[in-house]
Amino acid sequence: QTVVTQEPSLTVSPGGTATLTCASSTGAVTSGYYPNWFQQKPGQAPRALIYSTSNKHSWTPARFSGSLLGGKAVLTLSGVQPEDEADYYCLLFYGGAQVFGGGTKLTVL
Amino acid sequence: QVQLQESGPGLVKPSETLSLTCTVSGGSISSYYWSWIRQPPGKGLEWIGYIYYDGSTSYNPSLKSRVTISVDTSKNQFSLQLTSVTAADTAIYYCARRVYHYDGSAYYLIFDYWGQGTLVTVSS
């Protein structure tokens, strides 16, 4: 069974930089896994942020960016705002199947 | 603006079948993939499966024996059936659109629009 791993939690100061990672139990994450990232605030549905590694949706704030580094997919938040406090999920594609990471709870403190 | 709306019973008895429908508005159901995702209370997201508008499907191997996803293009709807439910199937169920796009030089897999979710509780 394929497992996608994220940091369970991360704390960052306002104005700082948060780096969230997404790893696959099958090995290095590449662009062929088409990493997608989502933000979910309490009581809300997930909202798409990044698709296919590094592409932003029209509604994605400029401070969010996606990349690959060290065999993992990475979501970077530069200049973190208080409203960025949320759960963040990555999604990887394995042929016909998709697997979500366990999520990272980002606290802005 | 594409919108998705889940509908169906909020309470299902153990061993019975959970049935949900997702209605797509603001765009056609054709030419896209349509997914179901669930989230148990206080837990993470789990992909259930998807259907292409032509009826081809892919399911999470852990749920495959109990899941059926179908599409009705005339109504711009797709549906989820999950049989033999237990308390472990209690969750918020979301529908979402998945796009597979080729721009001439690269392929993109995109999850973009989601429904607001509907809570289904399995209890007698």
Side-chain angles (χ1 to χ4, degrees), chain A residues 90-106:
Chain A
C90 67
L91 174 66
L92 300 181
F93 294 83
Y94 298 84
Q98 291 125 106
V99 182
F100 283 95
T104 295
K105 183 176 183 61
L106 181 68

Side-chain angles (χ1 to χ4, degrees), chain A residues 36 40 45 48 51-52 96 98, chain B residues 39 47 50 58 108-111:
Chain A
N36 277 238
Q40 186 180 35
Y51 64 90
S52 294
Q98 291 125 106
Chain B
Q39 185 172 36
W47 173 71
Y50 70 69
S58 179
Y108 302 89
L109 265 171
I110 309 164
F111 258 79

Side-chain angles (χ1 to χ4, degrees), chain A residues 18-23 29-31 33-37 49-56 64-78 90 92:
Chain A
T19 302
L20 289 68
T21 68
C22 176
V29 176
T30 66
S31 60
Y33 288 85
Y34 303 99
N36 277 238
W37 290 92
L49 291 175
I50 300 288
Y51 64 90
S52 294
T53 304
S54 59
N55 298 274
K56 299 179 187 181
F64 290 86
S65 63
S67 62
L68 296 173
L69 186 65
K72 298 180 182 181
V74 177
L75 176 69
T76 303
L77 289 72
S78 303
C90 67
L92 300 181

